[in-house]
Amino acid sequence: MSNHLYDALIAPNTEGTSCFLETDKEEISFAAFTSSAAQMAHVLVDMGVKPGDRVLVQAPKCAEMVMLYAATLQAGAVFLPLNTAYTRDELAYFVGDAAPSMIVCAPSAESELSALAKAGNASVLTLDKDGSGTLSSAAKEKSKHFETVARDAEDLAALLYTSGTTGRSKGAMLSHANLSSNAQSLVTAWELSRDDVLVHALPIFHTHGLFVALNAALMVGMRVKFMNAFDIDKILAALPVSTLMMGVPTFYTRLLADDRFGREVANNMRLFISGSAPLLAETHEAFTARTEHQILERYGMTETNMNTSNPYRGARVAGSVGMPLEGVEVRVTDPSTGAPLPDGEIGMIEVRGPNVFKGYWKMPEKTAEELRENGFFISGDLGQFDENGYLSIVGRQKDLIITGGYNVYPKEIEDVLNDVDGVRESAVFGVPDADFGEKIIAACVAETNSTIDQSALETALAEKLARFKHPRAFQTLESLPRNAMGKVQKNILRDSFDG
C-alpha cells in the first residue's frame, strides 16, 4: 500500500467508470471525480498553496467538497474541515491558529472570512451546497490531469480540531500513514468491497463521515449514496438498494421511531455501523428485534480514528465497542500511575498503533501530556475489558463524579435510569457541593406520550446501586443537548443546572 493517502485511496480508481457518488441531482463516476479533483488541485497550486499548507474548509456538504479533499491531498497540502455551525469568533481562532494559505467557505460567509483571511494573507474561494462557487468556476478552466505532489508517510494529510468542550480546541495532526492504515484496517475488519453500496448521511467535517466512511469507500471503490443530511424518507428509500450504513445512534432511534422501518426495508442490507456517541443497549436490542440485524458498534476519536470494533463475524455485544482492530493496541491503565489494570477493572483507555496522530498543532506541552514516550495515547476515556476481550466505555474522565471521596461513573447510573418505564434516555453529571465536593444530578427525557415518575426512578436506583451513587436531584428535559455528532454535552447541563 502506498504511503501517500491519495495514491492509496483515489489513484487506483482514476479510470473507474462506475458510480462513486450518487447525489440527488447526478451520479459521479470515479473517473469524473478524479478529473474534477485534479482541476481543483490546479486551482489550489495556482493560487499559491504549497506542500504542507493548510486548506481550511467551512462549506456545506456536497460532492465538490469531497473533490476538494482529494485535490488537497493531491497538491500535498493539509485538509482542515470545520463544523458549519462555528461562529465568527470561533473561526477567528482557527484561522489564527492554523494559519491556512487557502480558505474555502459558503458564499454567504465570504465577506466575513475574507476579513479574517486578510490578516494571514490567505486566499478565499467559495463553495455552495449545490456545488457552485468561485472554486468550481475556476476549476472548469483547468487541466483534468494533475501530477500528484510527493509526500512521505509521516507528512500531514489533515488537521482536525477537537470539539473543545473544555479549554480551547486542539488541532490533531493526522499523517498520510495514520489515515491510510486505518482505512485498510476497516476494510479488513468489516469485509468491505466494491460490491457494497453505502448510505452516507453524516457530516464530512468530522472523522466519522470523512475518514471512516469515505476513505474506506474510496479504498475499495464502492458506490456511495451521498445525502446532504439525515432525511428519513430518503434513508428509507435508499436502504432496500444498499448494503451498508454508517451512522450515529440518533439515526437508529429515528429509524425505530418510524413504523415504515422493518425487516423488509433492511432485507438487502449487509451491515449497520454506529459510532461517535454511545449506543444504548436498548436501541441495539430493539433494532435486532425489528430487523434481525445487529448494529455493529465501534470506538474511535479525532486523534486516532478507529481503535476497536465489534466483530463482523462473531458476537456483537450490546453496550460494548468490541476488540482492538488489527495493528492497534488498546490497554486500560490506572489513571494516577499509568500501570496496566487487569480485565474487569475500570481505568484509562490508552491506544498505540499506526492510527495514532502525530500530536497537537503548536501545542508541544499538551502533546507531551497525552502522548506517552512509548507511543500510547491517553484517550481521556474510561473503560474496562471483559473476560472475552471486549471493551466497554464507562465515560470521559472529565465526567467522573467524585462525591464524598467516592468515584462515581455516570454510565452506571444512566444504565439503571434508562431501564425505567417512561424514560427514553438520561444523562448524569456532577455539580459542586460544599459538603460532598460534588453532588450527582440526573437529567431524564421522557418517552413520547409518557411522564417520568421520580419515585420509580428512586426505587430502581435503590434496588441496584449503593446509596452514594444516587442522584440528589432529578430534571426532566425535552431533549439532551448534543453536538453535531450526537454526543451529549454534559458541560452544558452542568452550566445550566439551577438547584
Side-chain angles (χ1 to χ4, degrees), residues 226-423:
F226 196 69
M227 303 176 183
N228 290 337
F230 185 93
D231 180 304
I232 189 69
D233 294 328
K234 291 179 181 178
I235 297 288
L236 290 172
L239 289 176
V241 289
S242 303
T243 66
L244 185 66
M245 177 172 160
M246 298 186 194
V248 296
T250 306
F251 286 12
Y252 297 111
T253 56
R254 289 181 184 175
L255 284 169
L256 288 170
D258 196 300
D259 292 338
R260 295 172 293 173
F261 178 66
R263 294 179 189 179
E264 187 175 339
V265 171
N267 188 52
N268 194 60
M269 291 291 290
R270 183 174 72 81
L271 185 59
F272 291 93
I273 299 169
S274 181
S276 293
L279 181 75
L280 294 179
E282 300 93 282
T283 304
H284 186 283
E285 291 157 3
F287 197 90
T288 301
R290 180 86 68 91
T291 66
E292 296 187 350
H293 279 278
Q294 286 191 314
I295 298 172
L296 185 151
E297 191 172 9
R298 85 300 179 279
Y299 164 60
M301 56 200 339
T302 301
E303 291 91 341
T304 64
N305 287 298
M306 297 305 101
N307 301 312
T308 71
S309 172
N310 271 273
Y312 178 65
R313 299 183 187 276
R316 299 177 196 166
V317 179
S320 164
V321 292
M323 294 169 280
L325 292 167
E326 184 177 348
V328 179
E329 295 175 74
V330 179
R331 67 181 188 178
V332 173
T333 64
D334 183 320
S336 59
T337 66
L341 295 173
D343 292 347
E345 291 198 23
I346 294 172
M348 178 63 66
I349 298 170
E350 299 188 12
V351 182
R352 180 168 67 183
N355 57 314
V356 175
F357 74 141
K358 309 307 295 179
Y360 293 114
W361 178 258
K362 297 197 296 189
M363 289 185 175
E365 297 85 2
K366 193 65 178 173
T367 299
E369 285 177 20
E370 299 187 19
L371 200 56
R372 297 189 187 279
E373 290 184 1
N374 63 6
F376 273 99
F377 171 62
I378 304 169
S379 70
D381 289 324
L382 299 171
Q384 62 188 143
F385 278 107
D386 68 13
E387 67 276 8
N388 297 315
Y390 283 71
L391 180 68
S392 295
I393 310 297
V394 173
R396 292 289 290 171
Q397 185 181 35
K398 67 174 182 283
D399 292 331
L400 174 70
I401 302 167
I402 303 177
T403 180
Y406 293 104
N407 288 353
V408 176
Y409 302 99
K411 185 176 185 298
E412 186 178 16
I413 305 170
E414 291 162 359
D415 286 345
V416 174
L417 296 175
N418 293 340
D419 279 341
V420 176
D421 289 343
V423 177

Side-chain angles (χ1 to χ4, degrees), residues 16-89:
T17 56
S18 60
C19 175
F20 169 39
L21 295 177
E22 176 187 335
T23 71
D24 284 342
K25 64 178 182 177
E26 62 184 331
E27 292 188 359
I28 302 169
S29 70
F30 284 95
F33 173 82
T34 53
S35 293
S36 295
Q39 291 178 304
M40 289 186 183
H42 279 293
V43 173
L44 297 180
V45 171
D46 290 351
M47 293 187 71
V49 174
K50 301 182 294 299
D53 282 358
R54 277 71 61 206
V55 175
L56 185 153
V57 184
Q58 190 197 39
K61 181 181 179 181
C62 60
E64 286 74 13
M65 186 172 166
V66 187
M67 295 168 187
L68 176 58
Y69 167 53
T72 303
L73 296 177
Q74 200 169 15
V78 179
F79 194 67
L80 197 178
L82 291 178
N83 191 324
T84 51
Y86 282 137
T87 65
R88 187 190 186 284
D89 285 349

Side-chain angles (χ1 to χ4, degrees), residues 131 169 174:
S169 294
L174 296 160

Side-chain angles (χ1 to χ4, degrees), residues 103-122:
I103 296 174
V104 180
C105 64
S108 59
E110 183 177 13
S111 59
E112 195 169 73
L113 275 165
S114 292
L116 295 176
K118 190 175 295 183
N121 296 317

